[in-house]
Amino acid sequence: MAAGNPHAPTNPSGLRQSITAGSYGSIDSGLSSSPDQPGTGYFDRRHSAGPSRPNPTEATSLLDSALDFREHEHVHDGPCDHGTFSPRPTSPRSFLGGSGSARDGDSAAQSESEAEPATGGASAPAEGQNNAPRQRRPKTWAARMRSKKMSTSRDLAERHGIRDNALMYMSYYMPVLVWAREYSWSYFKGDFVAALTVAGMYVPMALSLADNLAHVPPINGLYSFVFNPFIYALLGSCPAMVIGPEAAGSLLVGTVIKGSVDKGEGGDNDAILHARICGIVAGLAGAMVLIAGVARLGFLDSVLSRPFLRGFISAIGAVIAVDQLIPELGLQKLAEEARVGHASSVDKLWFILGNLDKAHTLTFTVAATSFVVIMVCREIKRRLQPRYPGVAYIPDRFLVVVLSAFLTYYFEWDKAGVAVLGKVEAASGHSFTFRWPFKWSNMVYIREATSTAFLIALLGFFESSVAAKSLGGASFAEIQLSPNRELVALGVANIVGGCFMSLPGFGGYGRSKVNRSTGGRTPMSSIILSGLTLLCITFCLPYLYYLPKPVLSSLISVVAWSLIEECPHDISFFLKIHAWNELGLMLTILLTTIFFSLTFGMAIGVFLSLLQVIRHATRPRIQILGRIPGTNRFENAEANPDRLEFIEGCLIVKIPEPLTFANTGELKTRLRRLELYGTSMAHPALPRLRREDSNRNIIFDIHGVTGLDGSGAQVLEEIVRDYRQRGVRIFFSRVPSRDSKVGRTLIRSGIMDLAGGEDHFVNDVSEALKLSEVEEGGEGVLN
């Protein structure tokens, strides 16, 4: 240790120097270990200071010692007024165990065992001490069910005087136990107004989604606002989010129903079968989401890229817009006769253009007027809301629906050819009929609906995740947003809804934003929304008889417009940054959906997205390092080839990622390219550009290898063995500790022995360069 500085490093870093074999013994003792100098190997040198402490593992709690400053000993006696944090805790233990080398491991273990009393290895506390270890209690059944995190949490809670009980964990998994305790009447006014506003705007939308997109009785759309919001309010972790039917999910349900009709399993007017299939699809989607939540697959919301979602959502908007033109022009009966209802969007568009002269004038007028009024009100509210927030409370869509129904009744537009909603009732004749969707008799429909239900679950969860992250859970500090709990809540909600044949319901950012902006602060607004929808089903269904279907179609067209309107912004952004792959993905999904079908477009999009993920995951990101002149720093030589120095006779390779079966397939090939060309970007058709003697020493910087599975270890072992057979010296720098899984795997696989033993595992690249010079000098003397 340098005089005058008690914190000077034991092994100062240095660049590779010209060292002869004669000066070998004068090198810093950290370069090698010898019988006369026990304990000087790399893994034992790394952290040799400090008293003996238990070896940490990947399960060792950081808080166990880091927060208890009473356990931290002083580096030296007396006041310490230098250094940012002082006194500092001792460093973690070394790779091969303790402050001694591997050769001293047995003696160190023996000395530790000798220090322990003979009674079971646990030292008896001194008389009068209060910190005696707690007696181990026998594990109860409830204790066995605890996870590792719960056990750690229990210890932390006891240390800080917090009561650890089952209610604390139940409150985490059932947020209703949190917000119900804190709920007060001061929240109720905002929740009630928000629920009334959302009901006025989106309950008519649910009727339209069910009738026009899903091709099920309209009441099945209302069921989605009865069960799904109520269940989510109990289990969901985003207080402001409102669950309900979405255009994409409803359209996908309609594709399943159309497919069953095409196969002759029912007619276009078989409402009972259609409702039954709707419940099966919703139940399947809910089951898939629930299983994903239990399996902790919440990270899957990052699998689908933004271009994929934007392309698919824009394609859905285009499909919906074309579909709704047929009822808005009064061509529904003609389309059924021509059997274009199940055709692609392009075929429907050709049908519309060829029959424009047969459009029903009054129907088109009602639809166009409704669409224009809603769009104008939407734009006015968007412009005025920053200055006058109260305009968000105006239920413009509800007023359009009520006024159009009254005008249809008063002027008898139904007798003039305008299609009306008619009698709204359940297909079975009884509201809230319970049907378990997973019965064996439904297996034929389950097989047909599984793929579509998977797409509904995937899209629904992603949209819900985006909405939840945007809204947050700021109303209650104790409610933490969790993707896995969101999956569980959405899954249970859709399974319950599927039992009553409701449309699939997921979170929507639009209505959730309306809910929050109009005063909704707690999940009680969702419960009130469920109650209002229940009242509508009980008392208001007879008044929906004269609701014009063109108005419902115009409501859906507004949704289609909102799905498409963000696409130009994304396209311009990708054009600006020359993101051609993203633009190609969006265009591919859009064209395949329009020219073929929604299911085919979705399948192509998922396939291309997963292909990109797999390609990204299986591509090794190894780098060749060069030294920044005049420093001890090394950087990626391919990124800055002109300003970095290459070390003669050494190839420095950095592996910045875990090595698994997924990314080790091309590891040998890419290493070979680095040997031949000094870059992984060179084409393999080139002749060799680097001399053979330029690769006499290979230094692997594996600080980023935080994971190493069996396949990765096997490939790495083969690489090291091949190098050693060719006479190449191998060095590893910045290796994880022995107690880590990577460290244990390096030992058990024999990689450490093949590389030359413990001495070839060094602190950093600079030390490896020194050691390579030492060994080259020694060989020169011997020769």
Side-chain angles (χ1 to χ4, degrees):
M1 184 175 294
N5 184 5
H7 293 300
T10 303
N11 299 313
S13 176
L15 298 178
R16 188 183 187 192
Q17 302 170 355
S18 297
I19 303 173
T20 63
S23 61
Y24 179 52
S26 64
I27 304 174
D28 182 2
S29 61
L31 292 180
S32 65
S33 62
S34 64
D36 297 332
Q37 292 177 312
T40 55
Y42 161 65
F43 296 115
D44 305 304
R45 292 193 313 273
R46 294 173 67 185
H47 312 290
S48 59
S52 177
R53 302 174 64 89
N55 289 341
T57 67
E58 64 272 14
T60 300
S61 173
L62 295 177
L63 298 179
D64 186 44
S65 60
L67 295 182
D68 194 351
F69 293 102
R70 293 172 301 179
E71 297 180 2
H72 296 162
E73 58 283 329
H74 288 275
V75 178
H76 57 83
D77 296 332
C80 183
D81 56 355
H82 47 78
T84 306
F85 299 98
S86 188
R88 291 177 291 185
T90 57
S91 299
R93 301 284 285 185
S94 66
F95 183 91
L96 292 179
S99 58
S101 66
R103 292 179 290 272
D104 298 331
D106 296 335
S107 60
Q110 182 179 0
S111 62
E112 288 182 5
S113 63
E114 291 174 355
E116 295 175 353
T119 58
S123 59
E127 185 177 355
Q129 283 185 339
N130 296 325
N131 58 348
R134 297 190 304 268
Q135 294 294 329
R136 289 196 173 185
R137 293 170 291 184
K139 286 189 175 182
T140 61
W141 178 83
R144 293 178 184 274
M145 294 296 292
R146 288 176 177 267
S147 64
K148 181 184 295 185
K149 287 185 179 180
M150 294 173 68
S151 300
T152 305
S153 301
R154 178 190 58 192
D155 296 337
L156 288 173
E158 292 179 358
R159 181 180 305 176
H160 292 278
I162 300 174
R163 185 180 179 184
D164 178 82
N165 52 30
L167 182 61
M168 181 176 67
Y169 298 103
M170 290 179 62
S171 299
Y172 177 81
Y173 292 106
M174 295 187 65
V176 63
L177 299 177
V178 175
W179 65 262
R181 291 197 306 265
E182 302 180 15
Y183 195 80
S184 63
W185 286 105
S186 60
Y187 293 118
F188 183 77
K189 179 181 177 182
D191 291 338
F192 181 80
V193 173
L196 191 63
T197 305
V198 173
M201 295 178 63
Y202 289 95
V203 166
M205 185 72 66
L207 294 170
S208 184
L209 292 173
D211 185 64
N212 291 350
L213 294 184
H215 305 288
V216 297
I219 195 173
N220 293 83
L222 297 179
Y223 289 162
S224 296
F225 275 132
V226 174
F227 300 104
N228 296 50
F230 181 82
I231 300 297
Y232 183 82
L234 303 180
L235 302 176
S237 59
C238 182
M241 192 158 70
V242 179
I243 304 299
E246 290 291 329
S250 302
L251 188 62
L252 289 169
V253 171
T255 60
V256 178
I257 293 175
K258 287 181 179 180
S260 66
V261 172
D262 291 340
K263 294 179 181 179
E265 297 172 355
D268 287 329
N269 298 319
D270 193 347
I272 295 178
L273 178 61
H274 296 176
R276 185 179 173 189
I277 295 176
C278 178
I280 293 172
V281 174
L284 278 175
M288 293 176 183
V289 172
L290 177 60
I291 292 172
V294 173
R296 306 183 65 81
L297 300 180
F299 63 89
L300 288 178
D301 64 340
S302 303
V303 172
L304 299 181
S305 62
R306 177 70 177 269
F308 163 79
L309 290 166
R310 179 52 55 201
F312 185 69
I313 289 174
S314 301
I316 288 177
V319 170
I320 291 174
V322 174
D323 283 350
Q324 298 311 302
L325 281 176
I326 294 177
E328 287 173 350
L329 293 171
L331 301 175
Q332 189 70 36
K333 293 183 178 179
L334 192 61
E336 292 177 358
E337 295 174 0
R339 300 187 65 83
V340 297
H342 302 177
S344 66
S345 297
V346 173
D347 294 332
K348 291 178 182 178
L349 194 58
W350 281 115
F351 168 80
I352 292 171
L353 294 177
N355 293 276
L356 280 177
D357 56 331
K358 301 176 183 177
H360 192 265
T361 305
L362 181 58
T363 298
F364 176 72
T365 302
V366 172
T369 304
S370 302
F371 179 81
V372 170
V373 170
I374 295 173
M375 290 297 295
V376 170
C377 291
R378 179 173 174 262
E379 185 64 21
I380 292 175
K381 290 170 71 174
R382 186 182 67 84
R383 293 176 179 270
L384 294 180
Q385 194 167 352
R387 296 180 58 188
Y388 307 100
V391 298
Y393 292 81
I394 301 175
D396 52 310
R397 301 181 190 185
F398 177 75
L399 295 177
V400 169
V401 168
V402 172
L403 183 60
S404 63
F406 173 75
L407 293 176
T408 302
Y409 167 76
Y410 186 80
F411 291 106
E412 297 183 345
W413 286 346
D414 56 323
K415 297 181 180 178
V418 176
V420 296
L421 190 59
K423 188 177 181 180
V424 179
E425 62 180 359
S428 61
H430 303 283
S431 300
F432 303 109
T433 302
F434 181 89
R435 292 183 182 273
W436 181 246
F438 305 112
K439 295 191 298 185
W440 184 258
S441 58
N442 294 334
M443 188 56 63
V444 59
Y445 304 111
I446 290 176
R447 285 195 296 265
E448 296 173 357
T450 298
S451 59
T452 305
F454 173 75
L455 301 181
I456 293 173
L458 202 61
L459 270 182
F461 167 62
F462 187 88
E463 186 173 1
S464 301
S465 177
V466 171
K469 291 176 182 177
S470 301
L471 296 168
S475 300
F476 299 95
E478 295 183 25
I479 300 180
Q480 304 175 25
L481 187 63
S482 168
N484 295 314
R485 285 187 295 153
E486 287 293 293
L487 284 168
V488 171
L490 294 171
V492 174
N494 279 282
I495 290 176
V496 174
C499 293
F500 295 92
M501 297 169 288
S502 72
L503 286 177
F506 291 92
Y509 179 69
R511 59 171 167 266
S512 300
K513 186 177 180 180
V514 170
N515 174 63
R516 189 175 65 174
S517 63
T518 53
R521 298 177 60 189
T522 75
M524 182 59 72
S525 61
S526 294
I527 296 177
I528 298 173
L529 175 62
S530 298
L532 293 175
T533 310
L534 181 62
L535 291 176
C536 178
I537 294 175
T538 306
F539 300 107
C540 301
L541 292 185
Y543 301 100
L544 300 176
Y545 183 92
Y546 288 100
L547 183 59
K549 285 190 174 183
V551 174
L552 297 179
S553 297
S554 65
L555 293 176
I556 300 299
S557 296
V558 172
V559 175
W561 180 274
S562 65
L563 295 178
I564 298 174
E565 64 181 350
E566 293 186 14
C567 188
H569 174 268
D570 288 349
I571 291 177
S572 63
F573 177 79
F574 291 137
L575 283 173
K576 182 172 64 176
I577 64 174
H578 297 171
W580 309 120
N581 291 335
E582 286 75 8
L583 286 171
L585 179 62
M586 291 177 61
L587 184 63
T588 299
I589 296 174
L590 182 63
L591 293 179
T592 53
T593 301
I594 292 176
F595 281 91
F596 295 95
S597 67
L598 188 68
T599 305
F600 185 69
M602 182 70 171
I604 290 293
V606 170
F607 172 76
L608 293 177
S609 294
L610 293 180
L611 195 63
Q612 289 182 350
V613 171
I614 295 172
R615 180 185 179 187
H616 181 77
T618 58
R619 192 177 185 88
R621 295 166 184 82
I622 59 177
Q623 304 169 5
I624 181 172
L625 299 183
R627 191 189 72 188
I628 300 177
T631 69
N632 292 349
R633 294 176 54 195
F634 294 82
E635 290 187 356
N636 184 7
E638 294 178 275
N640 302 287
D642 298 329
R643 71 182 189 94
L644 297 179
E645 295 179 347
F646 290 88
I647 310 300
E648 181 65 27
C650 287
L651 180 66
I652 308 172
V653 178
K654 179 179 180 180
I655 305 179
E657 61 183 348
L659 290 178
T660 65
F661 73 96
N663 62 357
T664 53
E666 296 185 8
L667 186 59
K668 291 182 179 180
T669 303
R670 290 189 171 270
L671 279 173
R672 185 60 178 168
R673 289 190 184 181
L674 292 180
E675 294 178 50
L676 296 177
Y677 313 114
T679 175
S680 60
M681 304 300 294
H683 195 279
L686 290 173
R688 185 184 190 106
L689 302 180
R690 283 173 59 91
R691 301 192 310 271
E692 185 70 32
D693 60 353
S694 298
N695 305 315
R696 299 189 304 270
N697 303 280
I698 305 291
I699 301 174
F700 289 105
D701 181 358
I702 61 172
H703 181 66
V705 181
T706 56
L708 182 64
D709 66 1
S711 300
Q714 188 176 25
V715 172
L716 187 60
E717 191 269 346
E718 293 173 356
I719 291 173
V720 174
R721 183 181 298 276
D722 179 66
Y723 279 137
R724 296 298 293 157
Q725 290 175 353
R726 289 158 49 189
V728 177
R729 284 179 289 273
I730 303 296
F731 303 91
F732 286 89
S733 70
R734 301 200 296 173
V735 185
S737 66
R738 175 180 185 173
D739 291 324
S740 67
K741 185 177 180 180
V742 174
R744 293 195 300 267
T745 304
L746 288 174
I747 296 174
R748 294 170 181 170
S749 63
I751 293 175
M752 186 183 71
D753 294 332
L754 278 174
E758 177 192 344
D759 296 333
H760 281 230
F761 286 69
V762 296
N763 282 316
D764 52 31
V765 174
S766 300
E767 193 169 342
L769 291 172
K770 288 182 181 180
L771 187 56
S772 67
E773 185 77 6
V774 168
E775 296 196 0
E776 285 186 355
E779 291 178 1
V781 171
L782 292 176
N783 293 332

